[in-house]
Amino acid sequence: MIFNTNLNAIATYQAGKPIEEVIRVYGIDAKNIIKLASNENPYGCSPLVSQAICANASKVSLYPDDSMVDLKEALAKKYNLNAEHFIIGAGSDQIIEFCIRAKCQQDSKILMAKTTFAMYEIYAKQSGCQIIKTKSDMHNLKEFKELYRMHHPDIIFLCVPNNPLGECLDFSEVHDFLKEIDKNTLVVLDGAYQEYATYRDVNKAILVDVVQEFENVVYLKTFSKIYGLGGMRLGYGIASEMIMEYLYKIRPPFNVSSLSLLCGIEALKDENFIQKSLEQNAIEMQKYEIFAQENKIKYIESFTNFITFFLENQKCKSSEIAEFLMQNGVIIRDLKSYGLNAIRITIGTLEQNLKVFSLLKEKIS
């Protein structure tokens, strides 16, 4: 049987291992497993969300409101924009797919950082696009500019902050970069971790006005991280009405469930939960930085809810450490698939992080 030949060049995306798999493989009791691999909020979600799910469980038999007007209006109020500037997806990665399918054709060119969110490349290859990457792992806008002038790509992806490394460009740098890009190139600003970045440094904040100033920009956000709704698969894109006209031609009907839409609406109401989550993340992040410094582990200053440890100075490879931690009930992300001897660890709760430090110390000593 012959399939889409573009798929031959694609490696299947490897998500963080689920708790259920660790239970099956290692026989560890679920209550003794800590998942710090997928950058979920370790404090769960707002109580308002949990209450809404229980109160509306009967709605699962009905198709959702395909206009999604209630959530779009809630987002419009949050950002002081018109509802027409928003599109809702099953996670922000679905909006990434919409962008590529709407803008690209066979052999279109897409520019991205060497080490960044894997789904940019996967969706691009599905459409038969050419991938252009910087030499630097992190976002180097000088290299981006050089490659842009050389290749004139159809889409540029900027991950701000960047997953899986954690670094983040200042908005002023992004803004200056956008001024140099022609209007026929779509620029996707992926802000999945923007709440964390803004909390740590206000200079990192992507101002939503950017989509009005630059009609070729799509700004992506998600409910999967700080809002704690990873299991609901809910994200959104913000862009000019001109871009939205084409993205909506790609969006399938009923692509987001009724409960997911409701959870997003309720999550937006609870600013207190968001603030507490940000505060705790900052406190625990500092402990990881201190641990790295004390144990001579190289790391990147992170503007997210995870930290990346580089292990060049350690006697263990990233795969060995990841396996050791998993055997002891701690799931992290091995970055070997990115060609890095590094691990990415979601910042957990105080209790979870103490266990991580203890196990890491045991393994690298």
Side-chain angles (χ1 to χ4, degrees):
M1 186 179 294
I2 299 174
F3 290 92
N4 180 349
T5 56
N6 292 326
L7 303 182
N8 295 333
I10 299 175
T12 302
Y13 180 77
Q14 299 295 322
K17 287 190 181 296
I19 291 173
E20 293 78 7
E21 183 176 345
V22 176
I23 294 172
R24 289 194 302 269
V25 175
Y26 299 98
I28 302 173
D29 192 303
K31 68 177 183 294
N32 295 322
I33 297 175
I34 301 171
K35 186 184 177 189
L36 300 176
S38 300
N39 308 331
E40 297 142 326
N41 189 331
Y43 307 103
C45 62
S46 165
L48 296 181
V49 171
S50 302
Q51 293 164 15
I53 291 174
C54 293
N56 292 273
S58 62
K59 292 185 178 180
V60 298
S61 62
L62 303 175
Y63 283 109
D65 173 10
D66 196 48
S67 73
M68 308 184 193
V69 64
D70 291 339
L71 179 55
K72 286 192 286 188
E73 287 185 350
L75 290 168
K77 181 178 179 181
K78 173 180 174 65
Y79 292 105
N80 195 29
L81 290 173
N82 294 327
E84 290 75 17
H85 285 287
F86 296 87
I87 186 169
I88 313 299
S92 58
D93 56 318
Q94 188 177 45
I95 313 298
I96 294 169
E97 180 185 14
F98 293 168
C99 290
I100 292 173
R101 291 179 59 200
K103 185 71 172 73
C104 296
Q105 303 178 57
Q106 187 78 15
D107 295 324
S108 290
K109 298 177 180 179
I110 297 183
L111 173 59
M112 64 191 73
K114 179 182 176 183
T115 302
T116 192
F117 186 42
M119 291 310 299
Y120 306 153
E121 182 171 355
I122 290 175
Y123 284 132
K125 286 183 175 179
Q126 288 175 1
S127 295
C129 300
Q130 297 181 42
I131 310 299
I132 303 163
K133 294 185 177 182
T134 61
K135 292 182 180 179
S136 300
D137 285 300
M138 296 188 289
H139 283 62
N140 183 320
L141 288 184
K142 180 181 178 181
E143 292 181 25
F144 268 89
K145 292 175 187 176
E146 292 171 352
L147 291 170
Y148 163 72
R149 297 187 187 108
M150 187 183 306
H151 296 282
H152 303 288
D154 295 272
I155 299 181
I156 300 173
F157 281 102
L158 296 179
C159 196
V160 279
N162 187 25
N163 174 29
L165 298 181
E167 92 279 1
C168 188
L169 297 166
D170 282 354
F171 177 65
S172 60
E173 298 175 280
V174 174
H175 190 265
D176 289 345
F177 176 76
L178 292 173
K179 291 179 180 177
E180 300 187 35
I181 307 302
D182 70 78
K183 292 183 179 179
N184 193 44
T185 297
L186 182 66
V187 182
V188 179
L189 305 179
D190 189 342
Y193 299 89
Q194 260 291 306
E195 291 84 1
Y196 296 103
T198 302
Y199 184 82
R200 181 157 189 164
D201 184 349
V202 70
N203 293 311
K204 309 297 182 183
I206 300 296
L207 302 182
V208 74
D209 294 349
V210 72
V211 302
Q212 296 177 302
E213 182 178 356
F214 301 97
E215 287 193 346
N216 59 327
V217 169
V218 176
Y219 181 27
L220 304 181
K221 297 295 292 293
T222 184
F223 285 93
S224 297
K225 305 307 176 186
I226 188 65
Y227 288 98
L229 300 184
M232 301 309 293
R233 306 306 301 125
L234 185 65
Y236 56 98
I238 314 172
S240 65
E241 292 183 40
M242 179 270 292
I243 290 177
M244 285 301 168
E245 178 183 350
Y246 289 92
L247 296 186
Y248 270 94
K249 292 177 185 290
I250 302 296
R251 185 188 73 88
F254 309 119
N255 62 311
V256 176
S257 74
S258 299
L259 287 181
S260 294
L261 293 170
L262 181 62
C263 288
I265 293 167
E266 294 302 312
L268 289 173
K269 297 176 182 177
D270 197 345
E271 287 294 335
N272 186 52
F273 172 79
I274 300 302
Q275 187 64 24
K276 287 184 177 179
S277 295
L278 290 169
E279 291 171 357
Q280 287 304 123
N281 180 77
I283 291 170
E284 296 302 314
M285 175 71 78
Q286 186 176 42
K287 295 175 184 177
Y288 273 90
E289 293 173 342
I290 293 172
F291 178 87
Q293 294 162 9
E294 291 176 345
N295 291 277
K296 296 181 173 56
I297 298 173
K298 179 183 175 183
Y299 68 95
I300 296 173
E301 182 182 15
S302 177
F303 294 87
T304 66
N305 66 337
F306 63 81
I307 192 166
T308 299
F309 282 174
F310 293 87
L311 306 170
E312 290 88 348
N313 299 327
Q314 307 301 319
K315 61 182 180 181
C316 297
K317 298 293 184 182
S318 61
S319 54
E320 296 175 50
I321 291 182
E323 177 66 20
F324 173 75
L325 290 175
M326 199 173 306
Q327 290 173 354
N328 287 275
V330 178
I331 312 170
I332 62 166
R333 191 64 181 267
D334 179 11
L335 298 186
K336 181 181 178 181
S337 62
Y338 287 87
L340 301 173
N341 183 24
I343 54 176
R344 188 192 69 188
I345 308 172
T346 304
I347 307 302
T349 64
L350 171 61
E351 182 180 17
Q352 291 172 338
N353 297 331
L354 289 175
K355 182 173 181 178
V356 172
F357 296 149
S358 177
L359 290 170
L360 282 176
K361 189 73 173 178
E362 178 183 345
K363 187 63 178 175
I364 67 178
S365 296

